[in-house]
Amino acid sequence: MWNKLEQYITDIRFNRWYRYFAIFCRITLAVAFAISGWVKISGERFAAGLSSNHPLGHYFDALLDTGFYYTFIGIGQVIVAILLLIPRTALLGAIASFPILINIFVLTYSLRFEGTRIVTFMLLANLFLLVWDFQRLKPILAFQQRNNELQTNPNYSSTHSFPYVFFTCVLLTLATVIGVNQIMYDIRPGNSPEECRNGCRDSATPKASKQFCDCIYNQGHNLRTCLEEFEKAKAIELGADSKSLPRPSSEK
């Protein structure tokens, strides 16, 4: 099974559609890193529209106050963007960006940020780039080298057939990420007070949800405190609703 997987990874490098997709992933990640890095180098707060009382807003404010460390992060991100854009250094850029994206991935999910979907897409694109250059990574990962005709034959012709199965899996993966993000949290702070309060309309506990939004944006408490208060208020609201329901009459 491993040999077949390795052979598949070798084969896709000779298909132009996979090659186009790899270029697309490289450029997309490079643009994202370049924009993020330039904001930091300019000394501006990242996600300036995000409220300072938002859980991630607390983090961005604290990061901005670190001074030249903030600039250092920006320079590193711009360097990663440049590495991704140059074909010869694209693998180095993919390796360097992977721990950065893992860190952002965990951060955004732990703070229930609305941008978790985009970060997940970026991480998946980064993983594809690492798989794309797997043959070059094998010596680093200490995988046993094996010789086969497809890897050693310089006359192996490229293919132009469209990989329907692969891109169908890509679309299904993106849809799964969006769907899972919709249901994995019972409440989110949103990116603004209005977005948070709008999410209360369809909640089973609207009063507790509004109290959560007030705790985040008006009182400025941290996410953990507000979630604890939300769980208490939700239990009280659900308990009050259950008491208000008509009880069935007892049989004689």
Side-chain angles (χ1 to χ4, degrees), residues 10-27:
T10 302
D11 292 343
I12 66 175
R13 294 189 62 86
F14 296 96
N15 185 292
R16 68 172 181 176
W17 295 104
Y18 285 100
R19 194 178 306 117
Y20 293 158
F21 186 68
I23 295 173
F24 169 77
C25 291
R26 283 171 45 208
I27 294 176

Side-chain angles (χ1 to χ4, degrees), residues 12-85:
I12 66 175
R13 294 189 62 86
F14 296 96
N15 185 292
R16 68 172 181 176
W17 295 104
Y18 285 100
R19 194 178 306 117
Y20 293 158
F21 186 68
I23 295 173
F24 169 77
C25 291
R26 283 171 45 208
I27 294 176
T28 303
L29 289 176
V31 170
F33 276 108
I35 294 174
S36 176
W38 183 251
V39 169
K40 295 177 177 64
I41 293 174
S42 302
E44 300 176 4
R45 179 184 181 272
F46 189 73
L50 196 63
S51 171
S52 294
N53 284 344
H54 188 282
L56 199 59
H58 288 302
Y59 176 83
F60 287 147
D61 287 341
L63 195 60
L64 179 62
D65 291 338
T66 58
F68 63 85
Y69 174 69
Y70 187 68
T71 306
F72 170 77
I73 296 175
I75 294 174
Q77 290 181 318
V78 170
I79 292 175
V80 168
I82 296 173
L83 292 174
L84 285 168
L85 287 176

Side-chain angles (χ1 to χ4, degrees), residues 121-177:
F121 297 158
M122 292 175 63
L123 182 59
L124 291 173
N126 200 152
L127 285 172
F128 175 80
L129 292 178
L130 293 175
V131 172
W132 174 258
D133 276 316
F134 177 73
Q135 294 300 330
R136 296 168 64 188
L137 281 174
K138 284 175 65 175
I140 301 175
L141 300 175
F143 280 98
Q144 182 180 1
Q145 298 292 313
R146 67 183 183 89
N147 295 321
N148 59 50
E149 293 183 0
L150 292 180
Q151 292 173 331
T152 58
N153 186 2
N155 297 320
Y156 186 75
S157 59
S158 61
T159 60
H160 305 289
S161 58
F162 188 81
Y164 291 99
V165 175
F166 171 76
F167 284 104
T168 299
C169 292
V170 169
L171 293 177
L172 290 176
T173 301
L174 298 182
T176 301
V177 171

